[in-house]
């Protein structure tokens, strides 16, 4: 309700200005409160009243086979919902700066370019992760990157909670506290 929005760091990195499209389609300017490239998370703030916040679930309660829904704007197609299940738990992915992000959720809900930074929901409508990366299956023979092969990754909501708490307080994240490493 205070206008805070969580997204991926790679979505806002290098931007000179940031806008957020809220549920009714209205676009609002956003201020970047803090970013953390090592967990690929960013905290933004918009000035708006009457916003209904999403509820963060407990990603430690997620089990393989649980329903998972992703929303976003893949390939510029606004307000898209894809459904699937949690395919695996405790995956590791590398952030763009080379840090390892632990306990990542794997889903077969379709995540494509444009879903990054959007929520991954459980069956109760709670956010259990922030959609971050996909497995592309490598490069094609013409040198272009491969497409989505049905494996997507989301930063777990418990990591989101820890990072957001620190970004709200200091605008930075203490990596030793998170257990994030460069190895």
């Amino acid at each position: 309700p205070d206008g805070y929005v969580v997204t991926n760091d790679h979505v806002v990195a290098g931007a000179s200005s940031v806008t957020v499209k809220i549920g009714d389609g209205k676009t609002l300017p956003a201020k970047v409160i803090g970013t953390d490239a090592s967990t690929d998370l960013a905290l933004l703030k918009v000035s708006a009243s009457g916003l209904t916040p999403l509820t963060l679930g407990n990603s430690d309660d997620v089990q393989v086979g649980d329903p998972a829904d992703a929303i976003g704007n893949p390939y510029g197609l606004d307000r898209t919902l894809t459904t699937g299940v949690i395919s695996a738990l405790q995956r590791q992915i590398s952030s763009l700066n080379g840090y390892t992000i632990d306990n990542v959720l794997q889903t077969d809900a379709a995540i494509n370019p444009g879903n990054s930074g959007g929520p991954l929901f459980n069956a109760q409508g709670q956010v259990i992760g922030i959609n971050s990366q996909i497995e592309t299956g490598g490069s094609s023979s013409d040198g272009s990157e491969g497409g989505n092969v049905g494996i997507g990754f989301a930063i777990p909501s418990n990591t989101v909670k820890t990072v957001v708490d620190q970004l709200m307080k200091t605008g930075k994240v203490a990596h030793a506290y998170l257990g994030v490493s460069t190895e």
Side-chain angles (χ1 to χ4, degrees), residues 100 102 174-181:
T100 298
D102 293 322
H175 295 291
Y177 176 72
L178 284 175
V180 177
S181 65

Side-chain angles (χ1 to χ4, degrees), residues 28-173:
L28 302 170
K31 177 182 178 186
V32 177
I33 301 300
T35 64
D36 183 48
S38 299
T39 56
D40 194 22
L41 293 170
L43 180 64
L44 314 175
K45 187 163 183 6
V46 296
S47 293
S49 59
L51 299 177
T52 302
L54 301 175
T55 302
L56 284 177
N58 182 349
S59 54
D60 288 344
D61 292 341
V62 174
Q63 298 294 314
V64 171
D66 286 353
D69 300 320
I71 62 170
N73 303 312
Y75 299 109
L77 300 168
D78 288 350
R79 302 169 61 130
T80 299
L81 169 74
T82 59
T83 63
V85 298
I86 297 298
S87 307
L89 302 171
Q90 301 175 347
R91 294 290 194 217
Q92 291 183 331
I93 58 174
S94 293
S95 65
L96 295 180
N97 69 358
Y99 277 73
T100 298
I101 306 170
D102 293 322
N103 300 314
V104 172
L105 304 174
Q106 180 182 319
T107 183
D108 68 351
I111 296 173
N112 289 289
N115 282 105
S116 290
L120 184 68
F121 293 102
N122 64 15
Q124 291 74 41
Q126 299 169 326
V127 177
I128 54 172
I130 301 296
N131 302 320
S132 181
Q133 294 181 21
I134 60 171
E135 181 63 44
T136 62
S139 296
S140 64
S141 60
D142 66 1
S144 63
E145 213 174 290
N148 181 338
V149 294
I151 299 173
F153 301 103
I155 310 301
S157 59
N158 290 353
T159 299
V160 172
K161 289 174 189 177
T162 302
V163 170
V164 165
D165 285 347
Q166 291 185 52
L167 290 175
M168 286 180 109
K169 291 176 186 167
T170 66
K172 300 177 188 173
V173 176

